[in-house]
Amino acid sequence: MISLRARLVRALLRLYTYPARREHRSLSRSVHFSDGKYRPPRGVRLYTESADGVRIEILEPPAHERELIHFHGGGHTARMNDFYRRAAERYAKMGCRVHSIDYTAGKDLVYPAVHDECFRAYRALARSLPEGRPLAAVGDSFGANLLLSACLRAREMQLRLPKAIVCISPFLDLAASGDSYRRNCHRDPLYALPRSQSFAAHEREIRRKTPYCGQTDPRLPDLSPAYADLCGLPRMLVQVGEYETSADDAYALARSARKKGVPACLHAFTGMWHDFMYLFPSLPESRAAFAEIEAFLRAAA
């Protein structure tokens, strides 16, 4: 049951995003994330390092039990910013030293630019982080895509894999083939069509193909892990909002993982939307989502 606060926020989101939805503009390209003078919580250390030439932002709490590699979302157009630093704070409070990959982003980049850079960073971190401390990884939206791609490449190279993976609102099928685009075509407060526009008339617009694909087949497993063989990956927690147009990416991930013997816990939050826990962390549903992530990470230690 969705909370009253979440219902109110969802209604306001629909109003705020209406101009972009009406004109079928990419929300990730339209939103400008703030990047001011970020200050970490008291006692938490913020510093940067390089992992095979890729900038890494590290949030280190006074005491940490595990290492967490953080793949942020925002499509291929947003770099690490204060929005994702606040998400990293949440993980630091769970006892994680958080390594956020600040990959190069830009509207003109095409595959495999971001995937290659994130894998280089992951490979360097997997080799350098202490073996005696559990390693986990988290990614939201396009970040979940980058996370899974990095883990699949690491599996093929027999590199160290995380003990646990968390995928939040994963965007894994860049062919946008899921039925949830039709099912939620008027329900998603971030990406849905306005009520006056029908799915039949605007299917192409709502199943938007990201320019990042370039000339690559969007069903290539490294670009779209929804089509990958997940055998050998670690246990995973998948969280998604029921109303997301790309919700089927999460459902398909959980099914595919279980089919290959990978323990996968799927939680679809009733009436919720893409990245709701990052966007509005104070909502009851968001607090429940973060509590579930913390319990999952602790159990996998």
Side-chain angles (χ1 to χ4, degrees):
M1 186 73 174
I2 186 171
S3 67
L4 176 59
R5 287 178 60 191
R7 287 179 186 273
L8 292 173
V9 169
R10 189 176 66 192
L12 290 172
L13 268 177
R14 291 186 66 86
L15 289 173
Y16 177 77
T17 61
Y18 178 76
R21 293 188 294 110
R22 180 188 59 204
E23 298 170 8
H24 312 123
R25 285 187 278 118
S26 168
L27 200 61
S28 62
R29 288 172 172 247
S30 302
V31 173
H32 299 285
F33 294 99
S34 65
D35 198 13
K37 294 182 178 180
Y38 172 78
R39 292 183 180 179
R42 181 173 295 181
V44 177
R45 181 185 174 209
L46 171 66
Y47 58 102
T48 62
E49 289 185 352
S50 175
D52 197 4
V54 183
R55 185 176 182 273
I56 308 294
E57 284 194 10
I58 302 168
L59 273 182
E60 184 177 298
H64 51 282
E65 305 164 358
R66 64 188 58 82
E67 308 288 347
L68 182 72
I69 302 178
H70 176 212
F71 295 77
H72 72 80
H76 64 288
T77 61
R79 295 199 68 159
M80 189 65 183
N81 54 63
D82 290 354
F83 176 75
Y84 288 108
R85 292 182 184 108
R86 286 190 290 273
E89 277 182 23
R90 297 269 169 177
Y91 301 122
K93 290 177 181 177
M94 297 176 191
C96 302
R97 180 165 64 168
V98 185
H99 306 261
S100 298
I101 301 176
D102 184 16
Y103 55 82
T104 303
K107 296 181 179 181
D108 297 327
L109 293 176
V110 296
Y111 175 83
V114 181
H115 285 71
D116 284 353
E117 188 171 0
C118 283
F119 176 67
R120 290 204 328 269
Y122 174 87
R123 180 178 58 192
L125 289 169
R127 288 171 172 169
S128 65
L129 293 177
E131 290 279 354
R133 195 173 290 136
L135 175 65
V138 62
D140 74 288
S141 191
F142 190 63
N145 181 311
L146 298 168
L147 183 165
L148 289 169
S149 172
C151 287
L152 289 165
R153 294 189 191 190
R155 179 195 65 187
E156 296 307 307
M157 295 180 63
Q158 298 184 333
L159 299 175
R160 179 186 181 188
L161 288 171
K163 287 186 174 293
I165 288 174
V166 179
C167 293
I168 297 169
S169 295
F171 181 41
L172 308 179
D173 179 6
L174 272 63
S177 64
D179 184 63
S180 53
Y181 286 89
R182 178 199 58 77
R183 191 169 65 248
N184 292 330
C185 71
H186 292 128
R187 300 201 295 183
D188 188 328
L190 296 177
Y191 302 108
L193 298 169
R195 296 284 180 184
S196 60
Q197 297 181 3
S198 71
F199 177 77
H202 295 281
E203 180 175 2
R204 182 177 179 180
E205 286 81 4
I206 199 168
R207 295 188 190 271
R208 182 183 297 112
K209 179 183 175 183
T210 172
Y212 178 72
C213 291
Q215 300 302 310
T216 302
D217 181 352
R219 290 176 173 80
L220 180 74
D222 187 59
L223 173 59
S224 291
Y227 301 95
D229 180 348
L230 304 178
C231 182
L233 290 194
R235 65 181 63 196
M236 60 181 69
L237 171 63
V238 185
Q239 295 181 334
V240 67
E242 178 195 24
Y243 277 13
E244 296 188 38
T245 51
S246 57
D248 278 1
D249 288 22
Y251 304 149
L253 172 62
R255 284 195 305 270
S256 180
R258 292 166 182 164
K259 191 177 295 185
K260 292 297 182 177
V262 177
C265 176
L266 171 68
H267 190 163
F269 287 79
T270 302
M272 301 304 284
W273 54 89
H274 193 77
D275 265 7
F276 66 89
M277 68 287 288
Y278 278 21
L279 290 164
F280 302 96
S282 65
L283 289 175
E285 291 84 354
S286 301
R287 293 198 298 270
F290 282 120
E292 183 178 46
I293 292 171
E294 182 172 9
F296 176 76
L297 292 176
R298 292 190 185 281

